Amino acid sequence: MNTESGKITSAVRLALISSVSAIGLWAAPALAQQAAQAESNGIEEIVVTAQRTAQSLQDVPIAVTAFSAEALQRQQINNPLDIQLTLPNITFTKGNFTGSSFTIRGIGDLCVGNTCDSATAIHVEGMPLFGTRLFEAEFFDLERVEVLRGPQGTLFGRNATGGVVNFVNNKPRMDAIHAAGEVEYGNFNSLRVKGMFNLPITDTLAVRVAGTYLRRDGFTTNVFNNTRVDGRDLYAIRGSIRWQPTENTTVDAMAYYFSEDDNRSRIQKQLCQTDPTGVLGCLPGRRDPGFINANSTFVGTLASREFLTTQGGPAFGALGLGSLYGTDPYNYPGNTNPASLREIRTDFTPTYLADEQQYMLRVAHEFGSIKAQVTGMYQRNSVDSSVDYNLTVFNPAVARAALTTASAFAAAIPGLANVVAATSSGAQFCTSNAEPSGLGAYGGQRTCSATPQDFDRSNYTSSTKTLEAIVSSQFEGKFNFLVGGIYVDGSTKEGDYYVNSWGIDYLVGVLGAANGGYLGTPFFRNNSDLYTLKSYGLFGEAYVNLTDTVKFTAGVRYNNDEKFVRARSTLASFFVPFGTTGNAFNSPAAAGFDGDPGRAGNQPFQVRSVSFSEVTGRAVLDWKISDDNLIYASYSRGYKSGGINPPLQPIFAVNDSFTPEFVDAFEIGSKNSFLDGTLRANVTAFYYKYKGLQLSRITARTSVNDNVDAEVYGLEGEFIIQPTRNLAINMNASYLKTRVSTDKFLANPRDPSGGRSDAVIIKDITNGSNCAVVNNGAGGQAATRAFVTGANNAINAGAIPGLVAGAGLRGPTDFPADSGLTAGVGGAFGICGVLQALGTGTPFQMLPEGVTSNLRGNELPQAPQYKFSVGAQYTIEIGDSASLVPRVDIAHTGESFGNIFNGAINRVPSYTVVNAQVQFNGKNDKWYLRAFVQNLTDNNAVTGLYVTDQSSGLFTNVFTLEPRRYGVAAGFRF
């Protein structure tokens, strides 16, 4: 048996919680030629460190799946998108803001923001990582990957309510020089290179260097200019040193660097059932390959003829980009959204830059039966990504007409000449860069091109220092223990999200030109100026052998988290004179800016701090019926700290913070080997009761987080059959049921009517958000529409203080019959604040976020009810030392929902993926050749989705599987 740190004694085969071992139990031995050497010609044993000591996976009563290096290769697992296909009750999808969600048993990273903790903790060598890009890199030179399902905390340094993914690297070896390498070439002009070199310096000192490089063309065609986007160009390198000055002391040092610089897109495809009314932008009936109606957006409303008229009369309204009731600037001949998920139309090439550094030092020493280990880690991450957030092209004719009108009006409003100069250069249109000064195009920070641009930018830089100490026993008696402590000190600086648009640049200039300036910032900037985390935890477990076959485990953890945030959000928030330099906040008017609308007075930033502390733990009872059969039952309480919501511009009121989430998890299970070790059958059942599950929604262009209560339960079964040394078959299946368990009322941004037929959905022309008006008296639908019409007539007549007459706003109109909205719901452009004021004392009520709906009974996102996979391979021996190994894997993932509001529009359909390969292993496995195909059927299945906010038009970003890939590889090892 191979172990990481020593022989396994019966006294340290610790008993914890329940689960199934997964495909990793068989994958490495079944796939490698060495598998034939398994004991009794059965399935080879795999050693894991899920309990902080080396143990046979079948002896560990934890929901853990282990993939060895050979398993990763043979199952074509190169990254997390691949690994999730073969795991029960696990899904993985990319997210909207450079993030991703690895969901275990329905619990993933549903919370979005700098202050959110991960539900699934990502570890390297047992040490937690923060904001890691590891899930974007390629796997290389790994000893194994361990995936632990269920709450963790009494063994690992950070709390995790969903589970833990632990990457264990290969360590330097002192026995001999070792090297390995592989070159792979495939379609999309893909080149993947991996290599490793191990050098012993002395009998007690060795070094190891490994790396990977990937370059490929994009999976997506941009039909606008016939180019490919979403390519990859990345590399990673890791160096490690192991020193064993005595037989009881081991010192490990590791340094890792990852870098990516390419045109990878954070958005695979954007879908929309175009709303002809412009009130919603995209209708909630279907996900069509259409474009938003841009009249619904922030630019469409505030740069409209109607809104500008309310600010300065009809003459001023003539400076608008168009009418709210006219053709939107994206809907022009030839500008269509291709139906294929692998084709887009955009005039902006995405950019993606990321890097990560990790440095770790670990000292472990055995004092007889006591082992002590101290580990320090420093991690630094940065990411900077830009993409066309509309994935379309703004009509240059509309922009040119607006500039011509502005030039004509420059004699009357001299400041308009500055607007034209800032937003154009000859025949080109100039858009503000996403930059921190806040001056944008008006400070010379701009990009000029043949078409008006609109794009977003997501960027941050973070660093974290972590120190962990663990002491464990290896007594021969009935009692053992593990105690540990961890301290984390992390910070994120300039965690920003920008939305830039030529239309915003033009609009803020038009609104401020008469006063000799513009409204700053000329782009949306959600600026997390500083976020800090200081956390410490104390944890431990005690293990008691009640009998020779029955063990009891009790664990406890204390966690303390302190979080601090300094942040603000700006968009056309204050007047900035033309000629201002340095920073937009150098404007005298910036003194009146309120970065914290939730508190009295004006503050430049929202400054918040929160702290959380909690005691959690678990208890496990397991019974080793025989050497081949184990049953167990466990209870564990998981905890994830709360956080701070980002500041919103004063449109909606949301809570400053969100509370911690807790889970009470109950599991029972069994691990079994039959037929002389040629059959493994592992099953588990679990029930989770969640309180305060954290999930996000988009409000006012910002992700805010709420808490809901939920229940989760399910079954997992995994079966491995190796009837001969040459044939291996694996099967696994899972069932999962999730639901919101208590009343929770939220407004669905896609449908602010909440299903009420008497509601009228309003597009607020002053900020691009939606509200709803309902009638709590007699008259029903007709009365509501009459009330909205009357309010708009009052605005048109100049009867509302502060608004100039002549806007020409219309009464409610019907949505299309196939809109997905309740029959009778109407829509209109208007001003929500006016409707609220006029509704006072009447039966008509303006609801700022819309009519709320009860989420009780809804399924959690990214939680498919069914998953199953099957794989088979056969080793054909050639001569005495070579072999040919064909293999096929099929994985099916059932349907799920992309967000908590469920409904057909948010449904993620089921999908099936087929992978196949054949590998020829040369003499004594010293070299090999491989031909492969991934996603054989070229399935463009959606893995997740994200709905934008109302001022952006409610489009849906979808994330998909990688397309069919095929190629050849050659490698060596010695």
Side-chain angles (χ1 to χ4, degrees), residues 93-143:
T93 185
K94 296 177 183 177
N96 218 47
F97 300 103
T98 71
S100 58
S101 179
F102 196 91
T103 302
I104 300 178
R105 294 175 175 173
I107 307 305
D109 293 321
L110 308 178
C111 179
V112 177
N114 288 330
T115 69
C116 293
D117 292 341
S118 295
T120 300
I122 311 303
H123 289 68
V124 166
E125 305 294 341
M127 294 294 288
L129 299 178
F130 299 84
T132 180
R133 313 322 300 174
L134 195 61
F135 271 9
E136 298 173 1
E138 298 285 296
F139 297 159
F140 68 99
D141 198 34
L142 292 174
E143 179 180 324

Side-chain angles (χ1 to χ4, degrees), residues 61-119:
I62 290 181
V64 57
T65 295
F67 291 89
S68 70
E70 292 85 358
L72 296 171
Q73 181 192 78
R74 300 310 201 279
Q75 293 187 71
Q76 302 191 56
I77 297 173
N78 298 305
N79 51 55
L81 191 62
D82 297 330
I83 203 172
Q84 58 99 17
L85 295 173
T86 57
L87 292 172
N89 281 329
I90 287 180
T91 62
F92 175 81
T93 185
K94 296 177 183 177
N96 218 47
F97 300 103
T98 71
S100 58
S101 179
F102 196 91
T103 302
I104 300 178
R105 294 175 175 173
I107 307 305
D109 293 321
L110 308 178
C111 179
V112 177
N114 288 330
T115 69
C116 293
D117 292 341
S118 295

